[in-house]
Amino acid sequence: MTAFWAERAWLGDAVVSGVRITASAAGLISDIETGTTANGADERLAGVVLPGAINAHSHAFHRLLRGRTHGDGGSFWTWRELMYRESARLDPASYERIATAVYAEMVAAGWTSVAEFHYVHHAPDTRPYDPPHAMERALARAAQAAGIRLTLVDTCYLSSGFGSPLEPAQRRFGDGDAGAWLARLSSLRSQFAEEHPEVVVGAAVHSVRAVPVDALERIGAELDPGVPLHVHLSEQPGENEACLAATGLTPTALLARSGLVSPRLSAVHATHLTDDDIAVLGAAAATIVICPTTEADLGDGVGPARRLSDAGARIALGTDQHAVVDPLLEARALEHGERLASGRRGRFAPAELVAALSRGGADAVGRRIGALAVGQPCDLIVVAADSARTAGSEPVQIVLSATAQDVDRVIIGGRGRAAGGVHSDLGPLGDLWRKAVLA
């Protein structure tokens, strides 16, 4: 067992002083004591200890686009063409290098779990890899090397738009039809149960424009109800307009009619919703994954996160394209987006921001994690309270002043994985990225 003594730690919805957290040999929290003083056997954690952050939406290879898509302005749709170009270059070896680097970057920043929304399934010539699931295995190895908890969200991607086949750049993403995707998902889950039991395998329909109506209905009828389900939802007004023209329904209403809106659903972005959409998602207690820095980077708009939360939905956070890999900045951007849209401060209280960073994403990754509580994994991030950014901050408000630069230590499963922005096993992040992109 290992005992960590925290000057202050976030327990429930409050910051508590003098907290001893004991981790079992299995990496679970076996005991929590409050109001204690440190003893010689404790590993001391200065600052404020938060639960490990859950990154509920990631596309690992999108990290390659950072700092390379801004020269000519453009839109989400022009950015997407550059993304397709990068996806065409991927093979299992390069994907593993890139994912290892981005997962290590996440860990050093304080993300301890990630949901990887994965759709680059097949070889560039569209043939399945032999042996099968080579790209998925690459992601599993990358997560294992970085020490992050991985939920592999395998994605159904069948069309380029309503009534349109896949474009050439998209063909390696597709499986032909819903039946073939369901069969491949079943094979993947069986194989990972044997080879990578530490990985949770979830599912996704990429978006309503990328999965035909009959396929949505079949997936709604046949997908194992215990599997976490994700979808890009109403990210762009154009998607809503096309869905209404093709079906007479909004994307949310179409998903609901197909049996896909339930507590297991994680709707990513959910930026452009009607009042009825918000009511449907809230009544279902769906998870809404807001990706504030990506939505700002792409000019997507500010979604109705406060209204969704008030309606009953759970709010989680993701880094999506990794323009920024910083859980504290994502949390702050969630609140800042609400302030800009409403003209009011304090739309999300600090406790709600910490919840969005942690337990809000638990269902999205299909794990019982996200809180400092007995029986949960000992996943901790230690935020310095005396840096140039945080000195003088009230501990309960440190989520509004700190950045990933203030994350002194990251502990996953009771084991130190990063300190001072350096990964404990993989070393400095700059070196790791240079190797990943230049190899």
Side-chain angles (χ1 to χ4, degrees):
M1 289 191 175
T2 303
F4 300 96
W5 184 84
E7 287 181 341
R8 299 180 183 88
W10 199 285
L11 299 180
D13 288 326
V15 174
V16 178
S17 298
V19 179
R20 179 175 292 108
I21 302 166
T22 303
S24 70
L28 302 177
I29 297 174
S30 59
D31 190 37
I32 295 177
E33 302 170 79
T34 61
T36 67
T37 56
N39 62 46
D42 293 333
E43 193 169 329
R44 298 191 180 200
L45 306 177
V48 180
V49 174
L50 303 179
I54 298 173
N55 187 344
H57 189 66
S58 163
H59 300 290
F61 78 91
H62 288 195
R63 169 62 176 81
L64 296 172
L65 299 173
R66 185 188 293 176
R68 299 177 57 200
T69 64
H70 308 277
D72 299 315
S75 67
F76 165 84
W77 305 103
T78 56
W79 169 90
R80 191 177 68 158
E81 295 306 313
L82 297 173
M83 180 270 288
Y84 287 157
R85 184 183 66 192
E86 293 299 336
S87 72
R89 300 178 183 180
L90 294 175
D91 59 28
S94 65
Y95 206 14
E96 182 173 349
R97 289 194 303 271
I98 292 159
T100 299
V102 77
Y103 293 159
E105 187 176 0
M106 287 181 199
V107 167
W111 299 107
T112 58
S113 301
V114 61
E116 181 65 33
F117 198 107
H118 165 65
Y119 52 80
V120 189
H121 298 126
H122 307 302
D125 63 5
T126 76
R127 288 184 295 182
Y129 282 100
D130 185 18
H133 311 306
M135 297 295 265
E136 294 76 20
R137 287 164 152 172
L139 288 168
R141 291 192 297 269
Q144 189 173 50
I148 199 167
R149 300 185 192 280
L150 175 65
T151 297
L152 181 61
V153 182
D154 194 88
T155 303
C156 183
Y157 200 135
L158 302 174
S159 61
S160 62
F162 291 92
S164 300
L166 292 174
E167 298 172 2
Q170 300 167 323
R171 287 175 186 161
R172 70 183 302 194
F173 309 160
D175 291 293
D177 58 35
W181 174 73
L182 286 163
R184 189 177 56 73
L185 176 66
S186 177
S187 169
L188 176 65
R189 294 186 68 203
S190 295
Q191 186 161 21
F192 268 41
E194 296 182 6
E195 292 185 8
H196 294 285
E198 76 283 1
V199 176
V200 173
V201 178
V205 292
H206 179 274
S207 56
V208 295
R209 69 177 184 273
V211 181
V213 172
D214 61 342
L216 290 174
E217 293 173 347
R218 181 170 182 181
I219 291 167
E222 297 184 21
L223 183 66
D224 182 337
V227 174
L229 177 67
H230 292 228
V231 61
H232 292 122
L233 183 65
S234 292
E235 183 176 4
Q236 296 292 320
E239 175 185 310
N240 292 353
E241 293 161 6
C243 190
L244 282 165
T247 70
L249 300 171
T250 66
T252 298
L254 178 58
L255 291 173
R257 190 184 72 179
S258 303
L260 296 174
V261 177
S262 72
R264 64 120 167 229
L265 180 68
S266 291
V268 181
H269 304 304
T271 306
H272 303 282
L273 301 178
T274 67
D275 292 347
D276 286 345
D277 294 338
I278 292 170
V280 167
L281 293 166
T287 298
I288 309 298
V289 185
I290 308 293
C291 305
T293 61
T294 287
E295 289 147 11
D297 183 74
L298 296 178
D300 287 347
V302 177
R306 179 72 267 170
R307 292 180 62 202
L308 283 158
S309 179
D310 291 344
R314 292 158 294 184
I315 304 298
L317 293 167
T319 60
D320 195 355
Q321 61 151 333
H322 317 304
V324 176
V325 176
D326 186 327
L328 294 156
L329 284 183
E330 296 293 349
R332 189 140 71 250
L334 173 64
E335 164 64 8
H336 285 176
E338 283 289 324
R339 292 183 185 186
L340 289 168
S342 69
R344 294 174 54 199
R345 304 176 81 229
R347 298 286 286 165
F348 281 95
E352 291 178 296
L353 297 178
V354 172
L357 273 178
S358 52
R359 64 180 183 267
D363 285 341
V365 296
R367 299 178 185 270
R368 185 173 175 266
I369 56 175
L372 302 186
V374 172
Q376 292 219 6
C378 187
D379 296 350
L380 318 173
I381 57 177
V382 185
V383 181
D386 59 355
S387 76
R389 288 159 297 280
T390 61
S393 299
E394 294 183 11
V396 75
Q397 294 186 33
I398 204 163
V399 69
L400 291 165
S401 60
T403 73
Q405 288 181 283
D406 303 307
V407 174
D408 276 348
R409 293 189 60 190
V410 180
I411 295 161
I412 303 177
R415 175 186 167 187
R417 286 292 188 172
V422 177
H423 195 278
S424 301
D425 297 326
L426 300 174
L429 301 179
D431 292 346
L432 197 61
W433 268 113
R434 282 187 287 274
K435 293 174 184 176
V437 300
L438 298 177

